[in-house]
Amino acid sequence: MKGKKLSVLSLLAVSAMILTSCSSSNDASGVKIEVPDIPMHESMGDFEGELNIVNWAGFVDPKWTNKFEADTGCKVKPRVAGTSDEMVTLMRTGQYDIVSASGDAALRLIVGGDVQPLNVELIPNFGDEIATGMRNNIYDTVNGKPYGVPIGRGANLLQYNDDITKGAPASWDVVWETDSPYKGKITAYDAPIYIADAAVYLMHHNPELGIKNPYALDKTQLDAAIALLKQQNTIIGEYWSDAVAQITSFVGGNTVVGTSWEILRKFAGKPNIKTTLPIEGSTGWYDSWLVSSKTKNTNCAYAWMDYTSTSSVNGAIAMNFGMAPANVAFCKSSPTAQAHCDEFAAEDEEFFKKVWPWTTPIETCVDGRKDVKCTSFQEWTNAWLTVKG
């Protein structure tokens, strides 16, 4: 994917980076996916002395790595990646032990044999305190085997300039339909995974297409999504992958409505720049730690996953980046923590039931269909290139 996310601390200095009204649970049960047979770690042993991490900016910080290093002797060596594509490429070199992958990278790594299934008995902090909605999702749980330890999540919301819209738009139609009153002042995310946003809109407004999961599109359904994206292209003001540029465009008045993240609204620092979750639902990003199948530092990797799953450390990562923490016990730890959780809907599963986590499109239909072949990530990438001409 093109640009992903930026940490709260680095956002102003660095640029990087659905469904119907029913539940958007991306449940992994009942879908058989062909993956390489890779053994999982059986028991903990001596720490190897280092841990090479591919991570989003803000996920690895001395505020919590120093204690981990002192406790384990595992020297943390982070490598910030700006996109999911970069993360996949780096992990496939075999030089990194663990990655903080979003769902649009996680399933690619699992199917490619680049990461290993996890022995959750060796990760005791991956327990009951982890948000229900971040468990057993198809992007990091395959054929009943967990490959990922949840870190945090967020929704791709509709951002709007309230001075102009005079209230929250009820529907995503203001960014998709040619009669939008904001034609020429609309922004959209510049990445193939944005095809899923078109699919979410079609699920609600064109049920005859039979789309049940926006990441499980057969050829006809993908063609319909691309047609909608090409229609949107005629009213788009700009596409964005640079978060700083997106904020600047909203604050400067060049953009009125478009897809965004809650943290970007905060960075805008303007009371008229607001976000909403429209009636159709939305896509979103759910991040997990995944361990390389080639790592020689497995014990350090497991220790890191366990340590960062504690409520205090997981909460620190969530606040540092700007997202809902996976470990919701953090929310009750202080008034500040509770305010953060409330702002990012960390404990609101009804909210996240309307959010479809990014999931790599693969030929196996993750909606459970077995009578058709679904389109792959490569097909989505090729199709995206046709959208903007």
Side-chain angles (χ1 to χ4, degrees), residues 176 189 191-202 214-215 217 221-223 225-226 228-229 283 361 375 377 379-385 387:
W176 292 112
Y189 192 49
I193 202 66
Y194 185 64
I195 293 171
D197 292 67
V200 167
Y201 187 75
L202 292 172
Y215 307 101
L217 305 182
Q221 293 165 341
L222 177 61
D223 288 346
I226 294 301
L228 179 60
L229 285 157
T283 60
T375 50
F377 175 72
E379 289 174 281
W380 280 40
T381 301
N382 295 342
W384 178 251
L385 294 176
V387 170

Side-chain angles (χ1 to χ4, degrees), residues 304-367:
W304 175 260
M305 289 186 292
D306 192 49
Y307 174 70
T308 55
S309 293
T310 61
S311 61
S312 58
V313 178
N314 182 250
I317 295 172
M319 290 191 71
N320 200 45
F321 181 76
M323 63 181 174
N327 190 328
V328 293
F330 168 73
C331 303
K332 301 295 187 288
S333 64
S334 73
T336 300
Q338 188 63 64
H340 176 87
C341 288
D342 291 346
E343 182 170 16
F344 290 91
E347 301 171 287
D348 189 350
E349 291 300 337
E350 290 305 310
F351 173 87
F352 279 107
K353 283 180 180 179
K354 300 174 184 178
V355 178
W356 288 92
W358 279 350
T359 302
T360 307
I362 58 175
E363 290 185 357
T364 299
C365 294
V366 295
D367 62 0

Side-chain angles (χ1 to χ4, degrees), residues 30-53:
V31 179
K32 177 68 175 177
I33 297 174
E34 293 298 322
V35 296
D37 186 14
I38 298 170
M40 71 178 183
H41 197 41
E42 294 294 338
S43 62
M44 292 296 288
D46 295 336
F47 295 127
E48 300 88 356
E50 69 177 37
L51 185 64
N52 301 285
I53 306 177

Side-chain angles (χ1 to χ4, degrees), residues 230-273:
K230 289 181 177 179
Q231 172 179 294
Q232 183 192 52
N233 179 254
T234 66
I235 58 172
I236 279 283
E238 58 190 55
Y239 293 89
W240 72 274
S241 59
D242 182 327
V244 175
Q246 193 257 35
I247 294 170
T248 302
S249 185
F250 266 96
V251 172
N254 293 327
T255 299
V256 174
V257 292
T259 186
S260 189
W261 310 313
E262 182 67 14
I263 192 61
L264 299 191
R265 179 195 63 77
K266 287 188 66 177
F267 268 101
K270 299 290 185 180
N272 60 309
I273 305 300

Side-chain angles (χ1 to χ4, degrees), residues 138-189:
I138 195 73
Y139 60 82
D140 69 358
T141 303
V142 176
N143 303 333
K145 294 181 179 181
Y147 286 77
V149 170
I151 308 169
R153 58 182 171 174
N156 296 319
L157 300 171
L158 175 59
Q159 189 163 285
Y160 61 97
N161 184 334
D162 193 49
D163 286 348
I164 297 174
T165 63
K166 306 301 182 183
S171 169
W172 283 103
D173 59 3
V174 294
V175 307
W176 292 112
E177 301 297 343
T178 55
D179 61 354
S180 171
Y182 313 115
K183 182 176 182 179
K185 292 185 175 291
I186 299 167
T187 189
Y189 192 49

